Structure formats: structure tokens, C-alpha cells
mmCIF file of all heavy atoms in Angstrom:
data_model
loop_
_atom_site.group_PDB
_atom_site.id
_atom_site.type_symbol
_atom_site.label_atom_id
_atom_site.label_comp_id
_atom_site.label_asym_id
_atom_site.label_seq_id
_atom_site.Cartn_x
_atom_site.Cartn_y
_atom_site.Cartn_z
ATOM 1 N N ASN A 18 0.801 -1.222 0.000
ATOM 2 C CA ASN A 18 0.000 0.000 0.000
ATOM 3 C C ASN A 18 0.835 1.274 0.000
ATOM 4 O O ASN A 18 0.307 2.355 0.227
ATOM 5 C CB ASN A 18 -0.990 0.001 1.175
ATOM 6 C CG ASN A 18 -0.308 -0.064 2.534
ATOM 7 O OD1 ASN A 18 0.883 0.203 2.660
ATOM 8 N ND2 ASN A 18 -1.067 -0.427 3.550
ATOM 9 N N ARG A 19 2.124 1.144 -0.280
ATOM 10 C CA ARG A 19 2.922 2.355 -0.445
ATOM 11 C C ARG A 19 2.665 2.993 -1.812
ATOM 12 O O ARG A 19 2.564 4.204 -1.936
ATOM 13 C CB ARG A 19 4.404 2.030 -0.300
ATOM 14 C CG ARG A 19 4.810 1.568 1.090
ATOM 15 C CD ARG A 19 6.314 1.350 1.160
ATOM 16 N NE ARG A 19 6.731 0.904 2.474
ATOM 17 C CZ ARG A 19 8.000 0.746 2.831
ATOM 18 N NH1 ARG A 19 8.965 0.988 1.955
ATOM 19 N NH2 ARG A 19 8.312 0.336 4.051
ATOM 20 N N GLY A 20 2.619 2.157 -2.844
ATOM 21 C CA GLY A 20 2.450 2.683 -4.193
ATOM 22 C C GLY A 20 1.181 2.240 -4.882
ATOM 23 O O GLY A 20 0.831 2.751 -5.944
ATOM 24 N N GLU A 21 0.461 1.253 -4.282
ATOM 25 C CA GLU A 21 -0.734 0.691 -4.890
ATOM 26 C C GLU A 21 -1.897 0.740 -3.901
ATOM 27 O O GLU A 21 -1.704 1.001 -2.712
ATOM 28 C CB GLU A 21 -0.475 -0.758 -5.327
ATOM 29 C CG GLU A 21 0.547 -0.893 -6.442
ATOM 30 C CD GLU A 21 1.974 -0.683 -5.981
ATOM 31 O OE1 GLU A 21 2.415 -1.374 -5.041
ATOM 32 O OE2 GLU A 21 2.655 0.215 -6.532
ATOM 33 N N VAL A 22 -3.097 0.449 -4.386
ATOM 34 C CA VAL A 22 -4.311 0.524 -3.572
ATOM 35 C C VAL A 22 -4.811 -0.885 -3.279
ATOM 36 O O VAL A 22 -5.046 -1.677 -4.201
ATOM 37 C CB VAL A 22 -5.404 1.337 -4.299
ATOM 38 C CG1 VAL A 22 -6.730 1.254 -3.549
ATOM 39 C CG2 VAL A 22 -4.974 2.797 -4.444
ATOM 40 N N TYR A 23 -4.988 -1.190 -1.995
ATOM 41 C CA TYR A 23 -5.475 -2.509 -1.596
ATOM 42 C C TYR A 23 -6.964 -2.644 -1.890
ATOM 43 O O TYR A 23 -7.746 -1.702 -1.679
ATOM 44 C CB TYR A 23 -5.217 -2.745 -0.108
ATOM 45 C CG TYR A 23 -5.711 -4.097 0.358
ATOM 46 C CD1 TYR A 23 -5.017 -5.254 0.030
ATOM 47 C CD2 TYR A 23 -6.892 -4.232 1.078
ATOM 48 C CE1 TYR A 23 -5.473 -6.503 0.408
ATOM 49 C CE2 TYR A 23 -7.351 -5.475 1.472
ATOM 50 C CZ TYR A 23 -6.648 -6.606 1.137
ATOM 51 O OH TYR A 23 -7.110 -7.840 1.513
ATOM 52 N N ASP A 24 -7.353 -3.832 -2.353
ATOM 53 C CA ASP A 24 -8.751 -4.109 -2.689
ATOM 54 C C ASP A 24 -9.326 -5.181 -1.773
ATOM 55 O O ASP A 24 -8.754 -6.265 -1.643
ATOM 56 C CB ASP A 24 -8.865 -4.580 -4.138
ATOM 57 C CG ASP A 24 -10.274 -5.046 -4.479
ATOM 58 O OD1 ASP A 24 -11.154 -4.188 -4.589
ATOM 59 O OD2 ASP A 24 -10.480 -6.267 -4.611
ATOM 60 N N PHE A 25 -10.463 -4.855 -1.140
ATOM 61 C CA PHE A 25 -11.255 -5.843 -0.417
ATOM 62 C C PHE A 25 -12.266 -6.438 -1.395
ATOM 63 O O PHE A 25 -13.128 -5.714 -1.906
ATOM 64 C CB PHE A 25 -12.041 -5.191 0.720
ATOM 65 C CG PHE A 25 -11.223 -4.711 1.879
ATOM 66 C CD1 PHE A 25 -10.656 -3.444 1.878
ATOM 67 C CD2 PHE A 25 -11.045 -5.509 2.990
ATOM 68 C CE1 PHE A 25 -9.936 -2.984 2.958
ATOM 69 C CE2 PHE A 25 -10.321 -5.061 4.081
ATOM 70 C CZ PHE A 25 -9.760 -3.795 4.067
ATOM 71 N N GLU A 26 -12.198 -7.739 -1.641
ATOM 72 C CA GLU A 26 -13.199 -8.362 -2.489
ATOM 73 C C GLU A 26 -14.487 -8.562 -1.708
ATOM 74 O O GLU A 26 -14.480 -9.171 -0.637
ATOM 75 C CB GLU A 26 -12.704 -9.702 -3.022
ATOM 76 C CG GLU A 26 -13.707 -10.379 -3.947
ATOM 77 C CD GLU A 26 -13.158 -11.647 -4.573
ATOM 78 O OE1 GLU A 26 -11.930 -11.795 -4.663
ATOM 79 O OE2 GLU A 26 -13.972 -12.493 -4.993
ATOM 80 N N ARG A 27 -15.599 -8.041 -2.246
ATOM 81 C CA ARG A 27 -16.916 -8.182 -1.611
ATOM 82 C C ARG A 27 -16.867 -7.809 -0.127
ATOM 83 O O ARG A 27 -17.266 -8.590 0.731
ATOM 84 C CB ARG A 27 -17.425 -9.614 -1.736
ATOM 85 C CG ARG A 27 -17.867 -10.043 -3.128
ATOM 86 C CD ARG A 27 -18.590 -11.370 -3.033
ATOM 87 N NE ARG A 27 -18.976 -11.948 -4.300
ATOM 88 C CZ ARG A 27 -20.130 -11.734 -4.926
ATOM 89 N NH1 ARG A 27 -21.006 -10.891 -4.416
ATOM 90 N NH2 ARG A 27 -20.401 -12.359 -6.057
ATOM 91 N N GLY A 28 -16.389 -6.645 0.195
ATOM 92 C CA GLY A 28 -16.355 -6.286 1.605
ATOM 93 C C GLY A 28 -15.725 -4.939 1.843
ATOM 94 O O GLY A 28 -15.791 -4.036 1.022
ATOM 95 N N GLY A 29 -15.093 -4.825 2.995
ATOM 96 C CA GLY A 29 -14.448 -3.593 3.398
ATOM 97 C C GLY A 29 -14.183 -3.632 4.883
ATOM 98 O O GLY A 29 -14.625 -4.542 5.586
ATOM 99 N N PRO A 30 -13.449 -2.652 5.399
ATOM 100 C CA PRO A 30 -13.146 -2.635 6.831
ATOM 101 C C PRO A 30 -14.374 -2.278 7.656
ATOM 102 O O PRO A 30 -15.350 -1.730 7.152
ATOM 103 C CB PRO A 30 -12.074 -1.552 6.936
ATOM 104 C CG PRO A 30 -12.351 -0.632 5.791
ATOM 105 C CD PRO A 30 -12.849 -1.511 4.682
ATOM 106 N N ALA A 31 -14.303 -2.598 8.940
ATOM 107 C CA ALA A 31 -15.404 -2.288 9.845
ATOM 108 C C ALA A 31 -15.346 -0.847 10.327
ATOM 109 O O ALA A 31 -16.336 -0.338 10.870
ATOM 110 C CB ALA A 31 -15.380 -3.234 11.043
ATOM 111 N N ASP A 32 -14.218 -0.194 10.135
ATOM 112 C CA ASP A 32 -14.053 1.189 10.580
ATOM 113 C C ASP A 32 -13.211 1.914 9.545
ATOM 114 O O ASP A 32 -12.781 1.325 8.544
ATOM 115 C CB ASP A 32 -13.388 1.217 11.965
ATOM 116 C CG ASP A 32 -13.687 2.491 12.752
ATOM 117 O OD1 ASP A 32 -13.974 3.533 12.122
ATOM 118 O OD2 ASP A 32 -13.636 2.450 13.995
ATOM 119 N N ILE A 33 -12.973 3.189 9.781
ATOM 120 C CA ILE A 33 -12.133 3.972 8.884
ATOM 121 C C ILE A 33 -10.752 3.329 8.798
ATOM 122 O O ILE A 33 -10.186 2.920 9.806
ATOM 123 C CB ILE A 33 -12.018 5.421 9.389
ATOM 124 C CG1 ILE A 33 -13.390 6.102 9.361
ATOM 125 C CG2 ILE A 33 -11.015 6.210 8.568
ATOM 126 C CD1 ILE A 33 -13.420 7.435 10.075
ATOM 127 N N GLN A 34 -10.250 3.224 7.580
ATOM 128 C CA GLN A 34 -8.923 2.643 7.382
ATOM 129 C C GLN A 34 -8.109 3.510 6.447
ATOM 130 O O GLN A 34 -8.617 4.011 5.444
ATOM 131 C CB GLN A 34 -9.019 1.232 6.813
ATOM 132 C CG GLN A 34 -7.657 0.592 6.581
ATOM 133 C CD GLN A 34 -7.753 -0.896 6.396
ATOM 134 O OE1 GLN A 34 -8.219 -1.610 7.270
ATOM 135 N NE2 GLN A 34 -7.313 -1.382 5.259
ATOM 136 N N THR A 35 -6.870 3.706 6.797
ATOM 137 C CA THR A 35 -5.918 4.383 5.928
ATOM 138 C C THR A 35 -4.773 3.434 5.632
ATOM 139 O O THR A 35 -4.494 2.551 6.438
ATOM 140 C CB THR A 35 -5.366 5.653 6.605
ATOM 141 O OG1 THR A 35 -4.797 5.301 7.872
ATOM 142 C CG2 THR A 35 -6.460 6.682 6.820
ATOM 143 N N PRO A 36 -4.105 3.585 4.467
ATOM 144 C CA PRO A 36 -4.385 4.562 3.425
ATOM 145 C C PRO A 36 -5.639 4.207 2.632
ATOM 146 O O PRO A 36 -6.294 3.209 2.925
ATOM 147 C CB PRO A 36 -3.135 4.494 2.552
ATOM 148 C CG PRO A 36 -2.629 3.096 2.736
ATOM 149 C CD PRO A 36 -2.940 2.747 4.160
ATOM 150 N N TYR A 37 -5.918 5.057 1.642
ATOM 151 C CA TYR A 37 -7.139 4.923 0.859
ATOM 152 C C TYR A 37 -7.222 3.542 0.212
ATOM 153 O O TYR A 37 -6.228 2.991 -0.242
ATOM 154 C CB TYR A 37 -7.171 6.009 -0.221
ATOM 155 C CG TYR A 37 -8.568 6.380 -0.646
ATOM 156 C CD1 TYR A 37 -9.340 7.246 0.112
ATOM 157 C CD2 TYR A 37 -9.116 5.849 -1.803
ATOM 158 C CE1 TYR A 37 -10.629 7.584 -0.274
ATOM 159 C CE2 TYR A 37 -10.403 6.176 -2.197
ATOM 160 C CZ TYR A 37 -11.155 7.046 -1.430
ATOM 161 O OH TYR A 37 -12.434 7.366 -1.813
ATOM 162 N N TRP A 38 -8.433 2.980 0.149
ATOM 163 C CA TRP A 38 -8.602 1.603 -0.292
ATOM 164 C C TRP A 38 -9.772 1.495 -1.272
ATOM 165 O O TRP A 38 -10.479 2.465 -1.540
ATOM 166 C CB TRP A 38 -8.829 0.679 0.912
ATOM 167 C CG TRP A 38 -9.937 1.128 1.833
ATOM 168 C CD1 TRP A 38 -9.853 2.016 2.861
ATOM 169 C CD2 TRP A 38 -11.311 0.732 1.773
ATOM 170 N NE1 TRP A 38 -11.085 2.199 3.456
ATOM 171 C CE2 TRP A 38 -11.995 1.417 2.813
ATOM 172 C CE3 TRP A 38 -12.021 -0.148 0.959
ATOM 173 C CZ2 TRP A 38 -13.369 1.258 3.038
ATOM 174 C CZ3 TRP A 38 -13.392 -0.303 1.183
ATOM 175 C CH2 TRP A 38 -14.039 0.397 2.216
ATOM 176 N N LEU A 39 -9.977 0.279 -1.779
ATOM 177 C CA LEU A 39 -11.026 -0.012 -2.763
ATOM 178 C C LEU A 39 -11.717 -1.305 -2.385
ATOM 179 O O LEU A 39 -11.108 -2.188 -1.770
ATOM 180 C CB LEU A 39 -10.390 -0.169 -4.156
ATOM 181 C CG LEU A 39 -11.283 -0.670 -5.309
ATOM 182 C CD1 LEU A 39 -12.277 0.394 -5.726
ATOM 183 C CD2 LEU A 39 -10.422 -1.097 -6.506
ATOM 184 N N THR A 40 -13.000 -1.416 -2.722
ATOM 185 C CA THR A 40 -13.660 -2.710 -2.695
ATOM 186 C C THR A 40 -14.291 -2.966 -4.055
ATOM 187 O O THR A 40 -14.771 -2.047 -4.712
ATOM 188 C CB THR A 40 -14.739 -2.797 -1.604
ATOM 189 O OG1 THR A 40 -15.295 -4.114 -1.579
ATOM 190 C CG2 THR A 40 -15.876 -1.826 -1.851
ATOM 191 N N ASP A 41 -14.246 -4.237 -4.494
ATOM 192 C CA ASP A 41 -15.036 -4.633 -5.657
ATOM 193 C C ASP A 41 -16.153 -5.544 -5.167
ATOM 194 O O ASP A 41 -15.920 -6.477 -4.404
ATOM 195 C CB ASP A 41 -14.180 -5.324 -6.716
ATOM 196 C CG ASP A 41 -13.591 -6.652 -6.256
ATOM 197 O OD1 ASP A 41 -12.810 -6.659 -5.285
ATOM 198 O OD2 ASP A 41 -13.900 -7.679 -6.877
ATOM 199 N N ASP A 42 -17.361 -5.228 -5.559
ATOM 200 C CA ASP A 42 -18.523 -6.025 -5.183
ATOM 201 C C ASP A 42 -19.328 -6.302 -6.441
ATOM 202 O O ASP A 42 -18.993 -5.814 -7.525
ATOM 203 C CB ASP A 42 -19.366 -5.300 -4.130
ATOM 204 C CG ASP A 42 -20.018 -6.251 -3.140
ATOM 205 O OD1 ASP A 42 -20.364 -7.388 -3.540
ATOM 206 O OD2 ASP A 42 -20.183 -5.877 -1.976
ATOM 207 N N SER A 43 -20.388 -7.087 -6.295
ATOM 208 C CA SER A 43 -21.168 -7.480 -7.463
ATOM 209 C C SER A 43 -22.653 -7.373 -7.169
ATOM 210 O O SER A 43 -23.078 -7.428 -6.010
ATOM 211 C CB SER A 43 -20.826 -8.915 -7.881
ATOM 212 O OG SER A 43 -21.494 -9.263 -9.082
ATOM 213 N N VAL A 44 -23.439 -7.250 -8.227
ATOM 214 C CA VAL A 44 -24.890 -7.172 -8.077
ATOM 215 C C VAL A 44 -25.483 -8.494 -7.622
ATOM 216 O O VAL A 44 -26.613 -8.545 -7.146
ATOM 217 C CB VAL A 44 -25.573 -6.724 -9.386
ATOM 218 C CG1 VAL A 44 -25.184 -5.293 -9.732
ATOM 219 C CG2 VAL A 44 -25.242 -7.681 -10.536
ATOM 220 N N SER A 45 -24.728 -9.582 -7.767
ATOM 221 C CA SER A 45 -25.233 -10.915 -7.444
ATOM 222 C C SER A 45 -24.322 -11.609 -6.451
ATOM 223 O O SER A 45 -23.100 -11.444 -6.486
ATOM 224 C CB SER A 45 -25.332 -11.765 -8.706
ATOM 225 O OG SER A 45 -25.712 -13.101 -8.402
ATOM 226 N N SER A 46 -24.921 -12.417 -5.583
ATOM 227 C CA SER A 46 -24.130 -13.222 -4.656
ATOM 228 C C SER A 46 -23.739 -14.563 -5.260
ATOM 229 O O SER A 46 -22.824 -15.227 -4.766
ATOM 230 C CB SER A 46 -24.925 -13.468 -3.373
ATOM 231 O OG SER A 46 -26.100 -14.214 -3.661
ATOM 232 N N SER A 47 -24.411 -14.970 -6.331
ATOM 233 C CA SER A 47 -24.223 -16.328 -6.852
ATOM 234 C C SER A 47 -23.165 -16.422 -7.935
ATOM 235 O O SER A 47 -22.520 -17.463 -8.091
ATOM 236 C CB SER A 47 -25.547 -16.871 -7.401
ATOM 237 O OG SER A 47 -26.020 -16.065 -8.476
ATOM 238 N N SER A 48 -22.974 -15.364 -8.691
ATOM 239 C CA SER A 48 -22.048 -15.421 -9.814
ATOM 240 C C SER A 48 -21.625 -14.021 -10.195
ATOM 241 O O SER A 48 -22.404 -13.068 -10.084
ATOM 242 C CB SER A 48 -22.703 -16.094 -11.018
ATOM 243 O OG SER A 48 -21.858 -16.056 -12.153
ATOM 244 N N TRP A 49 -20.383 -13.894 -10.661
ATOM 245 C CA TRP A 49 -19.916 -12.617 -11.193
ATOM 246 C C TRP A 49 -20.283 -12.460 -12.665
ATOM 247 O O TRP A 49 -20.274 -11.344 -13.180
ATOM 248 C CB TRP A 49 -18.399 -12.510 -11.016
ATOM 249 C CG TRP A 49 -17.979 -12.383 -9.588
ATOM 250 C CD1 TRP A 49 -17.829 -13.394 -8.690
ATOM 251 C CD2 TRP A 49 -17.654 -11.183 -8.881
ATOM 252 N NE1 TRP A 49 -17.436 -12.893 -7.473
ATOM 253 C CE2 TRP A 49 -17.312 -11.542 -7.562
ATOM 254 C CE3 TRP A 49 -17.604 -9.829 -9.240
ATOM 255 C CZ2 TRP A 49 -16.929 -10.598 -6.597
ATOM 256 C CZ3 TRP A 49 -17.225 -8.894 -8.284
ATOM 257 C CH2 TRP A 49 -16.898 -9.272 -6.983
ATOM 258 N N CYS A 50 -20.577 -13.552 -13.353
ATOM 259 C CA CYS A 50 -21.005 -13.466 -14.750
ATOM 260 C C CYS A 50 -22.480 -13.849 -14.845
ATOM 261 O O CYS A 50 -23.061 -14.392 -13.901
ATOM 262 C CB CYS A 50 -20.155 -14.369 -15.647
ATOM 263 S SG CYS A 50 -20.549 -16.135 -15.557
ATOM 264 N N TYR A 51 -23.066 -13.591 -15.994
ATOM 265 C CA TYR A 51 -24.478 -13.915 -16.187
ATOM 266 C C TYR A 51 -24.691 -15.423 -16.180
ATOM 267 O O TYR A 51 -23.951 -16.189 -16.802
ATOM 268 C CB TYR A 51 -24.997 -13.340 -17.506
ATOM 269 C CG TYR A 51 -26.432 -13.727 -17.751
ATOM 270 C CD1 TYR A 51 -27.467 -13.075 -17.093
ATOM 271 C CD2 TYR A 51 -26.749 -14.792 -18.601
ATOM 272 C CE1 TYR A 51 -28.782 -13.455 -17.278
ATOM 273 C CE2 TYR A 51 -28.060 -15.177 -18.789
ATOM 274 C CZ TYR A 51 -29.071 -14.502 -18.127
ATOM 275 O OH TYR A 51 -30.375 -14.894 -18.303
ATOM 276 N N THR A 52 -25.734 -15.838 -15.458
ATOM 277 C CA THR A 52 -26.203 -17.223 -15.492
ATOM 278 C C THR A 52 -27.721 -17.205 -15.547
ATOM 279 O O THR A 52 -28.362 -16.242 -15.083
ATOM 280 C CB THR A 52 -25.754 -18.020 -14.250
ATOM 281 O OG1 THR A 52 -26.272 -17.384 -13.074
ATOM 282 C CG2 THR A 52 -24.247 -18.104 -14.165
ATOM 283 N N VAL A 53 -28.281 -18.230 -16.096
ATOM 284 C CA VAL A 53 -29.741 -18.325 -16.126
ATOM 285 C C VAL A 53 -30.251 -18.391 -14.686
ATOM 286 O O VAL A 53 -29.763 -19.181 -13.875
ATOM 287 C CB VAL A 53 -30.189 -19.577 -16.911
ATOM 288 C CG1 VAL A 53 -31.699 -19.754 -16.826
ATOM 289 C CG2 VAL A 53 -29.741 -19.470 -18.371
ATOM 290 N N GLY A 54 -31.211 -17.529 -14.365
ATOM 291 C CA GLY A 54 -31.776 -17.499 -13.025
ATOM 292 C C GLY A 54 -30.952 -16.732 -12.014
ATOM 293 O O GLY A 54 -31.208 -16.839 -10.799
ATOM 294 N N ILE A 55 -29.984 -15.950 -12.459
ATOM 295 C CA ILE A 55 -29.137 -15.188 -11.547
ATOM 296 C C ILE A 55 -29.996 -14.310 -10.630
ATOM 297 O O ILE A 55 -30.979 -13.708 -11.055
ATOM 298 C CB ILE A 55 -28.121 -14.335 -12.339
ATOM 299 C CG1 ILE A 55 -27.085 -13.698 -11.412
ATOM 300 C CG2 ILE A 55 -28.813 -13.286 -13.196
ATOM 301 C CD1 ILE A 55 -25.932 -13.018 -12.153
ATOM 302 N N GLY A 56 -29.632 -14.241 -9.357
ATOM 303 C CA GLY A 56 -30.332 -13.402 -8.392
ATOM 304 C C GLY A 56 -29.509 -12.178 -8.049
ATOM 305 O O GLY A 56 -28.297 -12.129 -8.290
ATOM 306 N N TYR A 57 -30.158 -11.182 -7.457
ATOM 307 C CA TYR A 57 -29.493 -9.908 -7.195
ATOM 308 C C TYR A 57 -29.678 -9.469 -5.748
ATOM 309 O O TYR A 57 -30.693 -9.757 -5.118
ATOM 310 C CB TYR A 57 -30.052 -8.815 -8.112
ATOM 311 C CG TYR A 57 -29.976 -9.137 -9.580
ATOM 312 C CD1 TYR A 57 -31.118 -9.150 -10.366
ATOM 313 C CD2 TYR A 57 -28.753 -9.448 -10.175
ATOM 314 C CE1 TYR A 57 -31.050 -9.462 -11.720
ATOM 315 C CE2 TYR A 57 -28.676 -9.761 -11.528
ATOM 316 C CZ TYR A 57 -29.827 -9.769 -12.295
ATOM 317 O OH TYR A 57 -29.753 -10.086 -13.622
#
């Protein structure tokens, strides 16, 4: 985290955290890509 930004997959810290960070999340819990019957 000196030169790059840490990523929390599907989440994040419980409180303020430094340095600045990122999370990637998805509209669905079942799949990151389209599937028949995908839920949101």
C-alpha cells in the first residue's frame, strides 16, 4: 500500500482505514457473470 491501492473483495473494513482503499462487489451473490436465473 505504499504505491498501490489494496482491494477488499466483496467487503471492506469495519471502521475507517488508511491509506485509501477499494472494494469490488457485485450485483449478485451467486455469480460474477451472467447465469440463467441469476439473483441480485
Side-chain angles (χ1 to χ4, degrees):
N18 61 17
R19 294 183 180 186
E21 294 75 55
V22 172
Y23 180 75
D24 173 72
F25 290 87
E26 181 175 337
R27 288 191 185 270
D32 204 335
I33 296 169
Q34 180 164 300
T35 56
Y37 207 80
W38 52 275
L39 172 71
T40 183
D41 65 298
D42 214 327
S43 185
V44 294
S45 175
S46 63
S47 61
S48 175
W49 292 82
C50 77
Y51 177 78
T52 59
V53 174
I55 189 171
Y57 304 123

